[in-house]
Amino acid sequence: MSEGNTRAGFAAVIGAPNAGKSTLVNRLVGSKVSIVTRKVQTTRFPVRGVAMEGQAQIVLVDTPGVFTPRRRLDRAMVRAAWAGAEDADAVVHLVDAEADIAIKGDKSTAGQRRGVEDAKTITEGLAKSGRGAILALNKIDTVKRDQLLATADALFRSGVYNEVFMVSAETGSGVADLKARLAGLMPEGPWLYPEDQTADLPARLLAAEITREKVYLRVHEELPYAAAVETTAFEERPDGSARLEQTIYVERESQRAILLGKGGQTLKWIGQKSREELAEILGRPIHLFLHVKVVEDWQNKRDFYRDTGLDFDV
């Protein structure tokens, strides 16, 4: 295929924590490239997923959620989100329509109210930057159509958005139309990645993200955002398998006990689920060994930021 017939570029997906950004990126790509959990703020750095649409290649930048930062890690995550938007050829602002509608009634949760405030902050940030964006209303399968249209109209009147798409990242409804539009916005040029590549996340980092997802899936009630996972060894073995060693860092001894579980059963479950998924993604047998280490101030150590591409000094 000649270069003149191809398109390739970057599309940033920004939004409040838990708006569904990772689920949307995974849906657009057609495979798992970003972790999805029930907790918010689980995407800590931009993860690029490569989506193909006809002759266009869309490199999707799945950014951390934009929220009011309180700690150094928070500031680094928010900065990474805006950097992803600034450098992209197209920007999609994903808004949780269900939350936006809920706060207009009397049944909204504290999380929904925070999410709507964070979404408002993003709209204001886009307005200040002068950068046009696509508005994508998510979770449309859970709300009434007249309420959805009213929400779309109110947000569109901000003057920030060029167009509106209504999607359900969970079911895939409306996602094909959004993908086609993004393909049309990509500049002409050669593809940036091989056609069969879905992400540019290094295997060592991907492995750490998969394990971190399993940590939160298993202990999402007991463990706050105080865990990090590092792949400390990744060895290719002669039989085609891979041997991985990972360290899960927590801030307190009590959190270590939660991760281990009675008789080590919780950590065993995490290791099993992570190993199964990594074997499927990497296409080879995986030998995974997990360790839990208490490092009280890991969020203030420069090495954690360097390894994930976040700015420690922001």
Side-chain angles (χ1 to χ4, degrees), residues 211-260:
T211 298
R212 191 162 64 88
E213 176 187 44
K214 305 313 174 195
V215 168
Y216 285 124
L217 286 174
R218 181 59 187 249
V219 292
H220 66 281
E221 295 294 343
E222 302 96 327
L223 193 67
Y225 295 99
V229 179
E230 180 185 16
T231 303
T232 55
F234 195 119
E235 177 190 354
E236 304 278 355
R237 303 184 66 170
D239 62 1
S241 65
R243 183 184 187 278
L244 281 70
E245 289 195 27
Q246 294 182 329
T247 300
I248 304 173
Y249 296 94
V250 293
E251 295 175 321
R252 296 188 296 275
E253 187 62 40
S254 60
Q255 295 168 347
R256 182 175 182 274
I258 290 171
L259 268 177
L260 291 174

Side-chain angles (χ1 to χ4, degrees), residues 68-83:
T68 303
R70 296 178 180 85
R71 305 164 298 172
R72 181 187 293 274
L73 178 62
D74 296 342
R75 293 194 296 272
M77 289 165 62
V78 171
R79 176 59 195 143
W82 281 115

Side-chain angles (χ1 to χ4, degrees), residues 21-41:
K21 299 179 300 298
S22 295
T23 303
L24 178 62
V25 168
N26 292 340
R27 178 71 65 175
L28 287 164
V29 173
S31 63
K32 185 168 188 173
V33 294
S34 190
I35 66 170
V36 180
T37 77
R38 286 171 286 185
K39 275 194 173 290
V40 299
Q41 300 167 24

Side-chain angles (χ1 to χ4, degrees), residues 179-211:
K179 185 177 181 181
R181 179 60 181 139
L182 290 175
L185 292 173
M186 297 299 101
E188 291 187 1
W191 291 341
L192 302 170
Y193 295 94
E195 186 175 2
D196 59 353
Q197 183 171 336
T198 60
D200 72 352
L201 196 63
R204 182 183 290 258
L205 201 52
L206 173 63
E209 283 296 279
I210 293 297
T211 298

Side-chain angles (χ1 to χ4, degrees), residues 14 35 58 60 62 68 72 90-91 111-113 122-123 137 157 171 177 182 199 207 215 223 250 261 265 275:
I14 64 172
I35 66 170
I58 310 161
L60 293 147
D62 174 31
T68 303
R72 181 187 293 274
V91 176
Q112 288 175 324
R113 292 191 290 274
I122 295 171
T123 301
L137 291 176
R157 279 190 277 111
T171 67
D177 291 336
L182 290 175
V215 168
L223 193 67
V250 293
Q265 288 303 304
R275 182 170 57 252

